[in-house]
Amino acid sequence: MHPSGTYNPAEIRSAIHGSIMAILGYAVLLLGVVFFLFLGHWKRKQNSPITNWPVVGMVPGLIRNASQVYECTNRVLKHYGGTVEVKGPWFAGMDFIVTSDPMNIHYILSKNFPNYGKGPEIQEILEPLGDGILNSDSDWWTYQRKRMHSVVKNSKFELFLEKIVRQKISNCLIPVLEHLSKQESEVDLQEVFKRFTFDNSCLMVLGFDPISLSVDFPKFTYVKAFDDMEAAVIYRHILPKWCWKFQRRLQLGQEKKLKNAWELFDGFLYKCISSKREELSRCRTQLEEAADFNLLTEYMMHEDKEGRMGGTDKFLRDTAFNLMAAGSDTVGSALTWFLWLVATHPSVETKILDEMRKNVMVKDDQKGACFGIKELDNLVYLHAALCEAFRLYPVIPFHPKTAVKADTLPSGHRVGANGTIVIFLYAMGRMEELWVKIAWSTSQRDGYQSKEEISYLCHLTNSLRLVGVPGVVWVRPWLSFR
């Protein structure tokens, strides 16, 4: 600064130059540190099937493997010993845990079950399910479960279920498949089974037969609406929360389809509810004595005596939709995977057919007849094949849970309050260290010895409360689709 109080231009230029050089020096130093962090991180993780990058987390790997997400997740879990912390972008709150560890799953679904529920975020994703049993927690879930059990225990339930399934197979499924065979037409088998199970679900839940499975494959608006609602829920699972919420606010893309489908299908359900209420008010005694059965009427005839939501149209709507969602695509998907596995493994197909010839007598003029439950009791190998298909392709491949309070899993992984855990049953069915160990320990026995053993093992695979007994599985040398 000049004695007169003015700034010397040369000094100003020098100060600015020094500041710029200092900033550049810090920037170069920072870039160098970041570079070495990336390099070190890459060297440490080069053998990992997915890399946790600074700032962006594992997002690049997830996007790259989106088309094969199940197999990719299976490889990652195998690499990390059955449990992995999936890291999202920094400060985005998108971190979650994926596990296929039997001890972790037993802990979550049994030992510490009260601490793990759907949580508000998952319930919002499953919004179309309303307050139904598939989207409930704690006391409300327990109440619905007890009420569902009381309805299912009705002696008419199993009889009517067998009746409608047999009728649908004889009158719809077999004629459709025979027609396609004669026409030598290609068909999406999953679409056939989806229509088959949707008709069964409507009959069982609503007492209404849409007859969506026929040779001309009719298109119904409410059937499409049901499919659109399911697709939108899957879409919400994939997209970040902010993205689908933005689409919902502006009514764009899948969220617009969901809104329209939701309104249309709700109109269909409420119309069925209103019709059943009118029918019940006119002839309650006749309905109680009738041989036919449907869950909607059964719920109405046992109105809630505790003053809760049990008798409202909203409760009936949520219950009906949840039951239909649980019984449609899940069964259709399971049947499709089972037949695909059998078709690609001729030796298994041969053994199934041999067992049927020995245990189920069919006359030449009854080849299109449908067997009942009792006729199928002795088909042990068929039952085992179904169990194996469920193991390889579970109808619910993943099951998200939210921790109410912070907790530590048996594997040592820490779960924060409101943290998300995804139970990955698809990977659990492919854990060689679990299945091979049991196959070896039971290798001295020649196959299944009793129907009770089959039922227990099937329960282990197909139920979400399946684990906790290490080494209880059914892989045998005489039956394997792998």
Side-chain angles (χ1 to χ4, degrees):
M1 188 173 180
H2 195 272
S4 62
T6 60
Y7 289 96
N8 188 328
E11 292 178 354
I12 295 174
R13 286 195 297 272
S14 177
I16 293 174
H17 182 266
S19 299
I20 292 174
M21 293 304 295
I23 292 172
L24 288 174
Y26 283 123
V28 171
L29 179 63
L30 181 62
L31 287 173
V33 170
V34 171
F35 172 77
F36 281 109
L37 282 174
F38 268 93
L39 184 63
H41 190 83
W42 178 78
K43 285 184 176 180
R44 289 194 304 272
K45 300 291 184 179
Q46 58 182 336
N47 294 324
S48 173
I50 190 168
T51 302
N52 179 21
W53 296 101
V55 184
V56 295
M58 296 181 176
V59 171
L62 295 174
I63 294 174
R64 186 175 65 252
N65 292 284
S67 61
Q68 48 178 353
V69 62
Y70 288 171
E71 292 302 328
C72 173
T73 307
N74 185 38
R75 291 195 301 270
V76 171
L77 286 170
K78 186 175 181 180
H79 178 83
Y80 286 101
T83 304
V84 61
E85 295 182 60
V86 179
K87 296 293 185 179
W90 290 358
F91 312 114
M94 294 174 61
D95 297 356
F96 59 95
I97 292 175
V98 181
T99 186
S100 61
D101 186 329
M103 299 311 297
N104 283 347
I105 300 175
H106 171 62
Y107 180 80
I108 294 167
L109 296 179
S110 180
K111 191 173 182 180
N112 198 17
F113 178 72
N115 191 50
Y116 296 92
K118 291 287 188 298
E121 289 193 9
I122 296 173
Q123 286 177 328
E124 190 173 16
I125 289 174
L126 301 175
E127 187 182 11
L129 295 173
D131 298 317
I133 192 170
L134 299 180
N135 200 28
S136 300
D137 283 328
S138 61
D139 293 341
W140 183 234
W141 176 84
T142 303
Y143 166 76
Q144 292 193 79
R145 184 171 178 267
K146 288 180 179 178
R147 188 161 186 189
M148 172 61 66
H149 280 189
S150 68
V151 172
V152 171
K153 285 178 183 178
N154 189 310
S155 58
K156 296 179 182 178
F157 176 80
E158 186 175 331
L159 293 174
F160 189 64
L161 177 61
E162 181 181 356
K163 174 185 172 182
I164 63 172
V165 171
R166 291 183 69 166
Q167 287 179 348
K168 271 292 165 186
I169 292 175
S170 300
N171 301 333
C172 297
L173 182 60
I174 292 177
V176 167
L177 294 177
E178 285 182 341
H179 172 78
L180 294 169
S181 177
K182 290 177 182 177
Q183 297 292 324
E184 298 184 353
S185 304
E186 291 187 2
V187 66
D188 182 349
L189 196 58
Q190 187 163 354
E191 175 66 20
V192 173
F193 286 133
K194 185 195 296 187
R195 289 171 176 265
F196 170 71
T197 53
F198 182 81
D199 286 355
N200 285 328
S201 296
C202 284
L203 275 166
M204 202 67 215
V205 177
L206 305 175
F208 164 74
D209 188 359
I211 317 180
S212 66
L213 179 60
S214 61
V215 293
D216 54 348
F217 285 84
K219 295 182 179 179
F220 298 110
T221 54
Y222 52 85
V223 177
K224 185 179 185 302
F226 184 81
D227 293 340
D228 288 344
M229 292 174 75
E230 288 190 329
V233 170
I234 295 172
Y235 192 72
R236 284 185 175 186
H237 274 97
I238 298 171
L239 282 185
K241 181 172 64 175
W242 64 266
C243 185
W244 66 259
K245 280 193 171 184
F246 178 75
Q247 291 187 352
R248 183 176 65 179
R249 179 179 292 274
L250 298 182
Q251 283 300 291
L252 300 173
Q254 203 72 30
E255 289 297 317
K256 183 178 180 180
K257 287 184 179 180
L258 172 60
K259 182 177 182 295
N260 296 333
W262 195 339
E263 291 176 354
L264 199 155
F265 199 74
D266 270 11
F268 165 70
L269 287 178
Y270 282 119
K271 184 177 179 180
C272 291
I273 293 169
S274 176
S275 175
K276 287 296 177 184
R277 283 202 184 280
E278 291 178 6
E279 188 178 352
L280 191 60
S281 65
R282 290 196 309 269
C283 48
R284 184 184 184 94
T285 304
Q286 290 89 328
L287 286 174
E288 288 177 346
E289 296 175 355
D292 287 348
F293 176 94
N294 66 81
L295 292 171
L296 187 58
T297 302
E298 193 67 20
Y299 267 86
M300 288 180 181
M301 288 194 295
H302 295 80
E303 295 287 351
D304 191 9
K305 298 177 182 179
E306 300 176 6
R308 301 180 74 169
M309 293 174 61
T312 67
D313 285 359
K314 173 66 165 59
F315 171 81
L316 294 172
R317 177 267 172 208
D318 292 345
T319 301
F321 186 77
N322 277 250
L323 292 173
M324 292 178 68
S328 294
D329 277 0
T330 51
V331 178
S333 174
L335 288 172
T336 306
W337 278 118
F338 169 71
L339 289 179
W340 178 80
L341 286 168
V342 170
T344 53
H345 294 78
S347 61
V348 174
E349 180 182 5
T350 301
K351 291 179 181 179
I352 290 174
L353 293 174
D354 288 343
E355 183 182 58
M356 292 180 70
R357 292 188 186 99
K358 292 176 183 177
N359 293 280
V360 182
M361 300 300 294
V362 181
K363 297 179 181 180
D364 291 338
D365 59 345
Q366 294 181 337
K367 288 186 177 180
C370 176
F371 309 130
I373 293 176
K374 291 182 180 179
E375 291 89 343
L376 301 177
D377 277 351
N378 295 323
L379 302 184
V380 181
Y381 192 89
L382 173 62
H383 200 159
L386 282 166
C387 291
E388 179 73 349
F390 290 150
R391 176 181 76 85
L392 293 173
Y393 297 100
V395 293
I396 303 176
F398 63 91
H399 184 54
K401 286 284 187 178
T402 301
V404 178
K405 300 177 182 178
D407 195 11
T408 301
L409 299 176
S411 61
H413 291 80
R414 183 71 176 168
V415 185
N418 297 317
T420 300
I421 304 173
V422 177
I423 297 170
F424 202 60
L425 299 177
Y426 180 89
M428 187 181 179
R430 287 163 166 72
M431 291 174 62
E432 294 181 3
E433 63 274 18
L434 178 64
W435 307 102
V436 172
K437 175 183 177 182
I438 307 316
W440 174 81
S441 67
T442 58
S443 61
Q444 298 302 316
R445 290 190 292 171
D446 184 20
Y448 291 98
Q449 302 301 314
S450 68
K451 185 175 65 177
E452 287 71 28
E453 180 185 6
I454 293 281
S455 300
Y456 178 60
L457 294 173
C458 182
H459 170 74
L460 284 175
T461 304
N462 211 25
S463 170
L464 289 177
R465 295 178 176 275
L466 63 145
V467 271
V469 187
V472 182
V473 287
W474 71 92
V475 175
R476 300 289 192 271
W478 57 274
L479 172 62
S480 178
F481 283 124
R482 299 194 72 183

